[in-house]
């Protein structure tokens, strides 16, 4: 193709037109490709638990970068002066390559990390994940450089792929979306434990977001649908825990908030006391008489 175009390059007007045409063609091809992939992504988002969304989003980013790099490289190649400069720099290409290699280590690590994420799928777009102890949210995008997480305050957390690849990630949607929500309450030592456990179980069963997570074998064996256990004897309370299940993390959060409120109201109605923390102060020296005048 370059042999067919080269006769026109020497024309001072043809060269800018040719370069402009190449750049315009690159933009058009990249735009059309992106729109086609966006349509495919939109169709696949309607399918629940579809891995193709993550693959297509990453593929869209990769193809877009490749198209622009190819177009820009070809446009530069069409300029004879830049060919001469490139030839003169060929002798120092070894040192230049070493310098580029050191400078691009982080970028290359991010690209490789992104490829591993897409290949092995520790998380996918739409998954709720937690990184470290203070970063959590929904995966919104995975590209060549970084992963974008939208937290629950609608802020975006941008983590380089090389960093998140080396972190422990808690994925609430990995394999199974269902989640167990602990409902914990403390009651006074004078309260009726059996009544408190019965109230907690009853309130959980009545909640519309609760689901029965038992298998058929567990149902046949008569395993409790909502286990409620005494988990600790605290300083001023007997701590109870109930195991409740929801379809997904958002439902589990809403259900947990509702149950804390409804159980508290039932406890108040049924006479189950939720004690305040108690502290005992011991004076080793005699307490001064407040009636005495201060010197």
């Amino acid at each position: 193709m370059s042999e067919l175009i080269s006769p026109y390059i020497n024309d001072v007007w043809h060269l800018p037109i040719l370069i402009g045409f190449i750049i315009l063609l690159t933009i058009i091809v990249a735009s059309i490709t992106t729109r086609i992939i966006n349509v495919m992504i939109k169709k696949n988002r309607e399918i629940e638990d579809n891995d193709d969304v993550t693959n297509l989003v990453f593929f869209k980013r990769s193809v877009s970068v490749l198209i622009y790099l190819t177009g820009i490289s070809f446009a530069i190649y069409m300029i004879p002066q830049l060919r001469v400069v490139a030839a003169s720099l060929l002798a120092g290409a070894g040192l230049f390559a070493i310098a580029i290699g050191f400078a691009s280590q982080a970028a290359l690590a991010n690209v490789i990390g992104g490829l591993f994420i897409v290949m092995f799928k520790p998380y996918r777009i739409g998954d709720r994940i937690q990184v470290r102890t203070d970063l959590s949210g929904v995966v919104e995008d995975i590209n060549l450089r970084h992963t974008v997480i939208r937290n629950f305050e609608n802020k975006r957390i941008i983590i380089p792929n090389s960093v998140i690849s080396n972190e422990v990630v808690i994925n609430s949607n990995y394999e199974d979306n269902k989640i167990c929500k602990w409902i914990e309450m403390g009651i006074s030592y004078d309260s009726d434990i059996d009544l408190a456990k019965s109230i907690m179980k009853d309130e959980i069963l009545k909640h519309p977001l609760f689901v029965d997570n038992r298998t058929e074998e567990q149902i046949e064996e008569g395993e409790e649908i909502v286990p409620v256990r005494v988990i600790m004897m605290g300083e001023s309370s007997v701590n109870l825990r109930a195991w409740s299940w929801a379809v997904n993390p958002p439902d589990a959060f809403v259900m947990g908030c509702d149950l804390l409120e409804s159980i508290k109201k039932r406890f108040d109605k049924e006479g189950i006391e939720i004690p305040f923390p108690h502290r005992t102060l011991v004076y080793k020296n005699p307490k001064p008489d407040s009636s005495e005048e201060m010197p």
Side-chain angles (χ1 to χ4, degrees), residues 255-274:
M255 181 179 67
C257 296
D258 292 345
L259 288 174
L260 290 176
E261 180 179 350
S262 64
I263 292 173
K264 169 64 168 61
K265 291 178 178 179
R266 280 286 303 277
F267 278 4
D268 292 342
K269 184 177 179 180
E270 301 289 341
I272 302 295
E273 180 187 1
I274 298 177

Side-chain angles (χ1 to χ4, degrees), residues 47-63:
I47 304 175
E48 188 175 357
D49 296 331
N50 195 336
D51 292 340
D52 290 340
V53 174
T54 302
N55 297 337
L56 287 171
V57 170
F58 189 83
F59 178 70
K60 180 182 72 173
R61 306 290 188 189
S62 304
V63 169

Side-chain angles (χ1 to χ4, degrees), residues 142-160:
I142 304 171
N143 57 42
L144 291 172
R145 181 190 176 276
H146 55 257
T147 295
V148 180
I149 301 173
R150 186 185 75 251
N151 70 9
F152 304 116
E153 296 177 340
N154 203 37
K155 299 176 182 177
R156 269 61 179 180
I157 304 170
I158 300 173
I159 307 176

Side-chain angles (χ1 to χ4, degrees), residues 78-97:
M78 290 295 101
I79 304 175
Q81 291 82 357
L82 293 183
R83 292 190 207 173
V84 175
V85 173
S88 64
L89 293 176
L90 187 60
L95 295 176
F96 182 72

Side-chain angles (χ1 to χ4, degrees), residues 37-280:
I37 299 177
N38 282 337
V39 171
M40 298 171 64
I41 292 173
K42 185 177 180 180
K43 291 182 179 179
N44 281 274
R45 283 188 188 276
E46 299 173 357
I47 304 175
E48 188 175 357
D49 296 331
N50 195 336
D51 292 340
D52 290 340
V53 174
T54 302
N55 297 337
L56 287 171
V57 170
F58 189 83
F59 178 70
K60 180 182 72 173
R61 306 290 188 189
S62 304
V63 169
S64 180
V65 170
L66 183 61
I67 291 173
Y68 278 110
L69 284 177
T70 303
I72 294 172
S73 300
F74 190 71
I76 292 174
Y77 182 77
M78 290 295 101
I79 304 175
Q81 291 82 357
L82 293 183
R83 292 190 207 173
V84 175
V85 173
S88 64
L89 293 176
L90 187 60
L95 295 176
F96 182 72
I98 293 174
I100 291 296
F102 280 111
S104 63
Q105 281 183 356
L108 183 60
N110 288 328
V111 173
I112 294 175
L115 288 173
F116 283 169
I117 290 170
V118 172
M119 289 172 57
F120 297 106
K121 295 182 177 61
Y123 55 84
R124 301 168 299 175
I125 291 177
D127 284 0
R128 290 173 174 260
I129 67 172
Q130 178 179 332
V131 184
R132 300 172 184 171
T133 57
D134 56 342
L135 303 177
S136 61
V138 179
V139 179
E140 195 171 63
D141 191 13
I142 304 171
N143 57 42
L144 291 172
R145 181 190 176 276
H146 55 257
T147 295
V148 180
I149 301 173
R150 186 185 75 251
N151 70 9
F152 304 116
E153 296 177 340
N154 203 37
K155 299 176 182 177
R156 269 61 179 180
I157 304 170
I158 300 173
I159 307 176
N161 291 329
S162 59
V163 173
I164 198 170
S165 296
N166 295 320
E167 291 288 342
V168 176
V169 177
I170 300 176
N171 190 341
S172 300
N173 300 103
Y174 196 83
E175 298 294 338
D176 189 0
N177 288 337
K178 284 188 292 186
I179 186 170
C180 180
K181 180 68 176 179
W182 288 347
I183 308 299
E184 297 185 355
M185 303 291 290
I187 62 174
S188 67
Y189 279 89
D190 296 332
S191 298
D192 189 335
I193 293 179
D194 293 331
L195 177 58
K197 291 168 64 176
S198 175
I199 291 172
M200 293 177 68
K201 180 177 179 179
D202 183 52
E203 290 298 318
I204 290 172
L205 289 174
K206 290 193 303 184
H207 200 280
L209 297 179
F210 170 77
V211 295
D212 186 356
N213 192 54
R214 296 176 299 173
T215 63
E216 293 182 0
E217 292 78 10
Q218 290 173 329
I219 294 174
E220 291 177 358
E221 293 172 1
E223 186 170 323
E224 289 184 89
I225 184 172
V226 180
V228 184
R229 303 279 187 269
V230 176
I231 59 171
M232 188 175 65
M233 296 294 185
E235 293 183 1
S236 56
S237 64
V238 178
N239 297 333
L240 307 178
R241 176 185 294 170
W243 281 257
S244 58
W245 286 84
V247 174
N248 51 48
D251 284 359
F253 176 78
V254 174
M255 181 179 67
C257 296
D258 292 345
L259 288 174
L260 290 176
E261 180 179 350
S262 64
I263 292 173
K264 169 64 168 61
K265 291 178 178 179
R266 280 286 303 277
F267 278 4
D268 292 342
K269 184 177 179 180
E270 301 289 341
I272 302 295
E273 180 187 1
I274 298 177
F276 293 100
H278 292 82
R279 294 290 183 269
T280 301

